Structure formats: structure tokens, C-alpha cells
Amino acid sequence: LGSQSISPQGVPTRSSLTRAVIDDAIVTRAWVVDFIHAKTVRERASFVEDVIRRYVTLPQLPALPIAFAGIELHGVVSPSSVLAQNTKDSITILSANAYSYNHIIGNFASRLPNDFSLRNKSGISVALGELKKLPILSVIEEKLIIREELIDWNDEA
């Protein structure tokens, strides 16, 4: 890829499409896919935090040329500013979800080693019921699910 492209008439024209722009577009697209996933699925807190962290480092994409009646107008639409406008509110919600529930997760994390109610099926079910209400998936929830499965396995043996 160079900085020239060929028009439909076969004439070389200047193009803003370079390897760097394509690389930046790929990075942005990967972030958008992860962002949509984080918005629609209960995902691990670390994944959501990574999506939020990557948001501020997204590359600035060049403005898109817009053709109107055969005349190209450069610099009219900035994909980066459109993306920022469309995701600002959702990023705020994701950020609140990722950080607002740390006290609940931390409470269960501190109880896990010593709390005897978290060593039987009914206590684990109660704890999982509370954790599954959270918009994010925590490592503690995964540990409790495994503990519950081990209790079931031990009872069957």
C-alpha cells in the first residue's frame, strides 16, 4: 500500500489510506468488538477494566472523505469523534459496573477461606445468588461455582 490509489477512471489519486491508518483501524475495530461484548455479556472484571483502559488510548483515525455529486470533501467526518460520542455514556456505565461492586466481591473474597457457610451447598447457593446479580463476573464467583461442583462430585462418589 502506498499513498496513491487508482480512481475508477484509472487515474492515480492521492489517498489517506496507509498501513498506519489500516493498523489503527484494526486496533479500533478490535476494541469495538470487545466493547460490545463487555456491554452485552457478564464478563470478568479484568476484561471490562482492560476495555476501559484501552478506550483512552485508541488511535485517532483520519477524517473520511465524503463524495457529494462527484466532488470529494475531505475532513468532514471524523470516525474517532463519532466513536467517542456514541460510546461515552456506555463507557461511563461500564466503568461504574467494574469498580462499584469491588466491596461486595471483596467481602466474599475475605470470607471464602474461613467462613464455614461457604463450605456447604446451601451457603454457596446463597452467595452465588448475590454475586450473579452483579453486572460483572468475579473470580470469587468462579471459585464458588467450582466449589459447588466439587461438593456435587464428592456427594456422587
Side-chain angles (χ1 to χ4, degrees):
L1 289 176
S3 61
Q4 288 192 349
S5 63
I6 306 297
S7 73
Q9 294 79 21
V11 179
T13 59
R14 298 283 307 155
S15 172
S16 61
L17 190 61
T18 63
R19 289 182 192 276
V21 171
I22 292 171
D23 289 343
D24 289 348
I26 290 169
V27 167
T28 302
R29 172 70 176 144
W31 180 84
V32 168
V33 169
D34 289 346
F35 171 70
I36 291 170
H37 180 75
K39 266 180 43 174
T40 57
V41 176
R42 276 185 78 229
E43 187 55 73
R44 282 185 171 184
S46 59
F47 178 80
V48 175
E49 290 167 2
D50 180 58
V51 169
I52 294 164
R53 234 184 335 272
R54 288 174 25 220
Y55 174 72
V56 296
T57 62
L58 285 176
Q60 291 296 311
L61 298 174
L64 297 174
I66 296 181
F68 179 72
I71 302 169
E72 276 198 18
L73 306 171
H74 291 279
V76 176
V77 177
S78 168
S80 298
S81 62
V82 170
L83 180 66
Q85 272 310 104
N86 291 337
T87 58
K88 181 177 59 172
D89 293 339
S90 296
I91 282 292
T92 303
I93 292 168
L94 273 181
S95 181
N97 288 347
Y99 301 108
S100 296
Y101 299 99
N102 284 338
H103 65 283
I104 296 170
I105 294 168
N107 180 30
F108 282 109
S110 66
R111 289 176 41 202
L112 191 60
N114 302 321
D115 191 341
F116 289 105
S117 70
L118 295 177
R119 294 186 184 182
N120 62 52
K121 189 130 171 109
S122 62
I124 292 172
S125 295
V126 169
L128 284 174
E130 289 182 44
L131 289 170
K132 286 182 179 180
K133 292 177 188 174
L134 303 181
I136 56 173
L137 181 65
S138 66
V139 175
I140 297 304
E141 183 177 343
E142 292 176 333
K143 286 181 179 181
L144 287 172
I145 289 169
I146 291 170
R147 186 174 278 186
E148 186 176 47
E149 289 173 356
L150 285 171
I151 290 171
D152 289 341
W153 176 76
N154 190 38
D155 290 345
E156 290 174 7

